[in-house]
Amino acid sequence: ERSMRVIYSTRTIDVPSDVTITCKAREINVTGPKGTLHRSFKHLALDLQLIDDNTKLRVDLWFGNRETIAAIRTVCSHITNMMTGVTKGFTYKMRFCYAHFPINVSSVKDGSKEIVEVRNFLGEKKVRRIELLEGVNYLRTADVKDQIEISGIDINKVSLSCAQISQSTNVRHKDIRKFLDGIYVSEKTSME
């Protein structure tokens, strides 16, 4: 059964005044006070163009089916996240949760890379090492016990780094309803 094609679908995004955006051949560059982000949307057959004196970005799709029409909003969300990133930035706060063995988390520099080390998880001797992605910063919260903050301008890198830290503390061979130890994202905010 052939899916119905919609002749023309479109969506526009407002570009904030402190953000400059360039768009050429589905390659988007967004520059703001906090830095520059680049992303390519070449895997999608969409029309991206700046209109109204570079104050709006229009995403057009001709003869789309259900899946490709859904991709329009996804692209808009990605670009909006890039604009938020270069103006406000993203901070994910993570809390340690443990019943008995206190989780020890520290950060070490390995050349240009920053590595988060997790020790004493469930009393294990193993040191879990998570390499933070480029442009992602680690901060141990001073006034809150057992909390770290992961921040950066690229939401993908920040959230992926948090996911890797969180998944490194998977409890294995135990009843996970009882053993709730781990490092979990507790709050998602912007950088100050």
Side-chain angles (χ1 to χ4, degrees):
E1 167 179 323
R2 291 189 62 227
S3 60
M4 189 180 83
R5 298 267 174 180
V6 178
I7 293 176
Y8 176 62
S9 320
T10 183
R11 200 177 175 90
T12 56
I13 317 170
D14 292 326
V15 179
S17 55
D18 54 349
V19 170
T20 44
I21 184 166
T22 62
C23 159
K24 185 168 191 294
R26 287 174 290 181
E27 303 253 349
I28 299 274
N29 283 308
V30 179
T31 309
K34 289 193 182 294
T36 305
L37 288 173
H38 169 84
R39 188 157 182 163
S40 167
F41 295 104
K42 286 199 181 278
H43 60 287
L44 293 167
L46 293 170
D47 222 356
L48 294 165
Q49 55 187 357
L50 289 161
I51 54 172
D52 291 359
D53 217 14
N54 290 5
T55 57
K56 287 189 171 74
L57 178 81
R58 191 171 71 199
V59 184
D60 293 338
L61 173 66
W62 296 87
F63 298 107
N65 58 14
R66 189 176 165 188
E67 288 79 14
T68 52
I69 288 171
I72 296 179
R73 179 153 189 178
T74 309
V75 168
C76 291
S77 299
H78 286 321
I79 296 168
T80 310
N81 279 336
M82 288 164 76
M83 294 194 280
T84 309
V86 295
T87 49
K88 296 185 187 142
F90 297 99
T91 300
Y92 280 35
K93 296 181 181 175
M94 305 185 79
R95 296 292 298 265
F96 314 157
C97 169
Y98 52 86
H100 189 277
F101 294 100
I103 301 173
N104 178 301
V105 178
S106 59
S107 154
V108 292
K109 283 267 196 289
D110 183 10
S112 62
K113 297 189 175 92
E114 191 160 19
I115 294 174
V116 175
E117 292 187 341
V118 180
R119 287 186 170 79
N120 200 31
F121 176 71
L122 290 181
E124 293 174 14
K125 290 280 177 257
K126 179 186 172 189
V127 178
R128 292 164 163 77
R129 295 165 62 89
I130 302 99
E131 197 177 291
L132 291 181
L133 297 161
E134 194 185 340
V136 177
N137 303 314
Y138 165 96
L139 174 73
R140 184 71 187 252
T141 317
D143 51 350
V144 181
K145 185 173 175 281
D146 293 337
Q147 180 172 290
I148 56 174
E149 294 177 21
I150 306 292
S151 59
I153 62 171
D154 188 340
I155 193 170
N156 292 316
K157 290 181 176 172
V158 173
S159 55
L160 181 56
S161 297
C162 288
Q164 287 172 342
I165 293 170
S166 194
Q167 288 182 348
S168 73
T169 59
N170 276 350
V171 179
R172 304 185 57 220
H173 315 304
K174 307 256 191 316
D175 183 353
I176 58 170
R177 295 169 299 183
K178 179 74 179 163
F179 290 83
L180 300 169
D181 295 33
I183 304 176
Y184 300 104
V185 173
S186 64
E187 193 185 345
K188 300 176 183 180
T189 59
S190 57
M191 287 157 76
E192 272 68 59

